[in-house]
Amino acid sequence: MERIVPQQTLQLNNLIPNFCQGSAVLLLAFTMELVAIVLTLGRGAGGQEAIETFTMISLYLQWIALCSAAVLCWSRRWFPLARPGVVFFYCWGLLVVVVMAVAAAAHKLFTEVLHWDGLMSQEPRIIFVMRHVTIAGIVALLLLRYFWLRHQWRLQVKAEGESRYQALNARIRPHFLFNALNSLAALIHVQPDDAESMVVDLSDLFRASLEKRGQMGPLADEIGLCHAYLRIEKLRLGDKLEIEWDIPDRLLEWPVPMLVVQPLVENAVHHGISKLAGRGEVRIAGREIFGRLVIEVTNPIPQGESLTSQGNRIAVDNIAQRLNLIYGDSARLELGRDLRLEGGVFRARLVLPKEPRKEPEGD
C-alpha cells in the first residue's frame, strides 16, 4: 500500500537542516573549522602556541558540532508530532543542553587530563559552562530564526510557483480548444462522419489533458496527445499534411511536463503547413544526447513568411515559463530557422533533463 506523507510532516522536516545526511554534517564541521580559525587569530597567538590553541579550539567546537548533529538527527523523527513553534524551541533547548554537557566534559578534560588552560583562563567549571551555554543559546537562537525565515520563504516561493504553473496551464488549454473547435466547425456540415470522429478525438484529448496527474507524465502520454491532435488536423487538411515520427521506443517512458510538445506540433501545423500552397511535412524527432532528452519539431516555412511570425507566442512563452518553473536553467526551448535543408525549415527544439530540479531537503 502506498504511504501518504502529510504535508505538515514534509514542511516540518524541512524546517531544520537534515543532519542525518552526510553533506549537512560535513558543512557544519567545515563551518566550525572556520570559526576555530577566527577564534585562534583573535587570540593573537603565534608559532607553537597558535597551533596548540587552534587544535584545542577545533577539537572543542567539533565535539559540539557532531554531538548537536547527532541529537538533531535522532530527534528528527519527533518533529511531525508537534507544531512548528514547539519544534523551534525544542531544538533550541537540545542545542543548549548539548553545549552544557560538552563544555562540562571539555573543562574536566583540558584542566585535569591535558592540563591546558588556554580555553578556560583558569576559571571555575561552573563559570566556564555558564559562559559557553549563554553564548550557545544566543547563537542557536539566531541560527534557528534564520532557518525558520528561510523555510517560510521557500514555502512562499513554492506556492507562488504552483500558482503560476496552474495559471499557465489554464491559459494554454483554451488556446487549443478554440483552434480545435474552428476545425470542427469547418467539417460538421461537409463531412459529418469525420466531424464525429473529431469529436471523439477531442473528448479523448481533453480527458487526458485535464486529468489531475500532476505536472509530469511519460513522453508516451504526450505523444498520445499529439496523435489525437494530428488526427483532427488531418481531417481538416487531408493530404496536404504529412507527418513523420522518429522517436525511439526507449524514450517513451522519459518523464516530461504535460502539454509541452503538443503546442509545438500545433504551431508547426497552423503557422507552417496550413499556409503552404502545396503539401508539407511536420517531423517530430527525439534523441537522448548527453543524458538529456532532445525533441525537435520541424516544418517548412511558407513563402514570404517572416521568422518572427512563425508560431504562437502565447503557447511558446507558456512553455518557456513552465520549463523554468519545473527545471530552472536545466531545460531550454530553442526556436529558429534552419537553412541547411532545401527551402529552409522552422525548427523548435526542446531540451529536457531526466528529472525536475529538486528542492533541497532541510538544508
Side-chain angles (χ1 to χ4, degrees):
M1 180 180 296
E2 182 181 2
R3 182 185 177 188
I4 300 176
V5 182
Q7 184 67 23
Q8 182 184 8
T9 300
L10 297 176
Q11 292 181 2
L12 288 177
N13 283 340
N14 288 328
L15 179 59
I16 303 297
N18 186 2
F19 290 107
C20 298
Q21 295 179 342
S23 59
V25 177
L26 288 176
L27 180 60
L28 179 61
F30 176 73
T31 303
M32 287 302 182
E33 285 301 300
L34 294 180
V35 174
I37 293 175
V38 172
L39 293 177
T40 302
L41 294 175
R43 287 176 173 266
Q48 184 65 30
E49 182 184 358
I51 296 176
E52 183 180 274
T53 300
F54 171 74
T55 302
M56 293 302 180
I57 293 178
S58 177
L59 180 63
Y60 176 62
L61 293 179
Q62 291 300 339
W63 282 354
I64 294 177
L66 295 179
C67 290
S68 299
V71 169
L72 290 176
C73 175
W74 171 81
S75 62
R76 192 174 184 82
R77 70 191 70 182
W78 309 112
F79 288 178
L81 302 180
R83 296 188 300 272
V86 175
V87 172
F88 181 93
F89 287 104
Y90 173 71
C91 292
W92 180 81
L94 285 178
L95 294 176
V96 170
V97 171
V98 167
V99 172
M100 182 183 299
V102 173
H107 189 280
K108 182 178 180 64
L109 176 64
F110 289 152
T111 57
E112 299 180 13
V113 178
L114 301 178
H115 303 288
W116 184 79
D117 60 357
L119 190 65
M120 289 76 187
S121 301
Q122 298 181 346
E123 61 185 349
R125 179 184 301 179
I126 185 64
I127 300 299
F128 173 80
V129 172
M130 293 306 298
R131 181 164 60 88
H132 283 241
V133 165
T134 302
I135 295 173
I138 296 174
V139 173
L141 189 64
L142 294 175
L143 283 177
L144 290 173
R145 177 61 177 172
Y146 163 74
F147 292 142
W148 177 282
L149 293 177
R150 187 181 64 170
H151 172 67
Q152 296 298 321
W153 174 77
R154 283 180 173 173
L155 290 180
Q156 181 180 356
V157 170
K158 184 177 180 180
E160 291 176 354
E162 291 290 339
S163 299
R164 288 181 59 195
Y165 181 86
Q166 296 300 329
L168 292 171
N169 272 344
R171 289 178 60 193
I172 201 170
R173 286 168 183 157
H175 162 73
F176 169 75
L177 175 61
F178 297 149
N179 286 331
L181 290 178
N182 287 335
S183 300
L184 179 62
L187 287 175
I188 198 166
H189 294 297
V190 295
Q191 295 174 269
D193 292 338
D194 290 340
E196 183 178 353
S197 299
M198 181 183 290
V199 170
V200 174
D201 278 333
L202 273 175
S203 175
D204 294 338
L205 186 60
F206 277 95
R207 183 182 301 112
S209 64
L210 296 175
E211 191 177 23
K212 295 181 179 180
R213 294 175 296 179
Q215 299 179 358
M216 307 293 291
L219 178 60
D221 288 356
E222 183 72 6
I223 291 177
L225 297 179
C226 294
H227 277 299
Y229 168 75
L230 288 171
R231 284 195 299 268
I232 294 172
E233 293 296 350
K234 189 69 175 176
L235 289 175
R236 184 173 69 91
L237 298 174
D239 294 337
K240 183 177 181 179
L241 172 61
E242 297 179 358
I243 306 160
E244 180 184 352
W245 289 91
D246 184 15
I247 298 181
D249 291 341
R250 61 186 177 84
L251 298 179
L252 295 181
E253 294 303 317
W254 193 290
V256 300
M258 301 304 295
L259 290 175
V260 292
V261 179
Q262 184 274 328
L264 300 179
V265 175
E266 181 179 346
N267 278 346
V269 173
H270 275 276
H271 301 276
I273 306 302
S274 63
K275 296 183 179 181
L276 292 174
R279 293 184 177 183
E281 179 183 82
V282 174
R283 186 174 187 271
I284 305 103
R287 293 290 183 271
E288 181 180 355
I289 302 178
F290 299 119
R292 294 174 180 268
L293 175 65
V294 178
I295 299 290
E296 290 188 346
V297 180
T298 57
N299 63 273
I301 300 175
Q303 187 174 5
E305 186 81 0
S306 66
L307 181 63
T308 56
S309 65
Q310 171 70 35
N312 184 286
R313 295 308 307 178
I314 294 178
V316 169
D317 291 343
N318 271 293
I319 293 174
Q321 292 181 50
R322 289 196 296 145
L323 291 180
N324 182 261
L325 289 172
I326 298 172
Y327 297 104
D329 297 331
S330 300
R332 64 181 185 272
L333 174 62
E334 302 172 350
L335 305 173
R337 186 191 301 263
D338 190 344
L339 299 177
R340 292 175 296 176
L341 301 178
E342 183 179 357
V345 299
F346 188 85
R347 185 185 307 276
R349 178 184 289 120
L350 198 61
V351 181
L352 303 176
K354 187 71 174 180
E355 299 291 341
R357 63 179 176 183
K358 296 181 179 180
E359 290 291 334
E361 182 184 351
D363 60 24

